[in-house]
Amino acid sequence: MPLLACRRLAFRLAAGAAVALVAAPALANDAAADLVSTTAAQAIDIIKTTTGAQRQAAIQQVLQTRFDLPYMAQTALGIHWAKATPEQQARFVKATETAEAKAYAERFGQYAGQTLAIGKTISRPNNVWIVSDACGWPNSVSPAR
C-alpha cells in the first residue's frame, strides 16, 4: 500500500479510535495494541456491512463505547469547558458525537479494502501508550478519565 494511502487509512480508522479511548486502568502494551486493533476491525466491519443512516448509527455506537467523549470535548474546549454549564457541556458532547459520526460515515464511503496493521507499542508515563501502525503513524491510547 502506498505511504499516502497508509497514512490516510491510519487517520481515518485509527487516529481517532486511539485517542482518549475508554480503556482498562492498567493496560499492557499488547492490550493497548489489541484495543486499537479491535476498534479498527469493528470500524472496518461497519463500513463493509452498512450504509447511510445505519452506518452513522453504528459509528456513533463505537464512539459512545470506545471513546472518552466528555474528555475529548473538554480538551477541545480548553478553558471554555469550565465556563460552560453542565447542560451546555452535555449538548456540546452530544453535538460533537453526532458530527463525528456523520463525518466518518461519509468518509468511510471511500473505503477500498485497506486494513490497519499494528506496528510497535510504547509505554509512556501516566498510563499512556503510543500504538503505531505498520506505517509508523502513532496514536495515543490512555485509560478512562
Side-chain angles (χ1 to χ4, degrees), residues 74-126:
Q74 181 179 354
T75 301
L77 285 182
I79 63 170
H80 304 290
W81 180 261
K83 297 175 186 176
T85 67
E87 180 184 275
Q88 290 171 324
Q89 292 171 348
R91 283 183 23 225
F92 182 76
V93 170
K94 187 64 177 172
T96 301
E97 171 191 314
T98 302
E100 287 298 311
K102 181 176 174 114
Y104 277 100
E106 290 172 0
R107 286 186 204 132
F108 285 155
Q110 302 166 12
Y111 176 72
Q114 299 93 336
T115 60
L116 176 70
I118 300 297
K120 64 181 179 174
T121 305
I122 302 167
S123 177
R124 297 282 189 215
N126 300 325

Side-chain angles (χ1 to χ4, degrees), residues 11 14-22 39 59-60 62-79 81 89 92-101 104 140-145:
F11 176 74
V19 178
L21 284 170
V22 177
T39 302
I59 291 170
Q60 196 156 351
V62 171
L63 290 171
Q64 292 168 349
T65 59
R66 296 291 212 164
F67 292 76
D68 186 349
L69 293 169
Y71 176 75
M72 293 169 66
Q74 181 179 354
T75 301
L77 285 182
I79 63 170
W81 180 261
Q89 292 171 348
F92 182 76
V93 170
K94 187 64 177 172
T96 301
E97 171 191 314
T98 302
E100 287 298 311
Y104 277 100
S140 299
V141 178
S142 56
R145 305 272 179 237

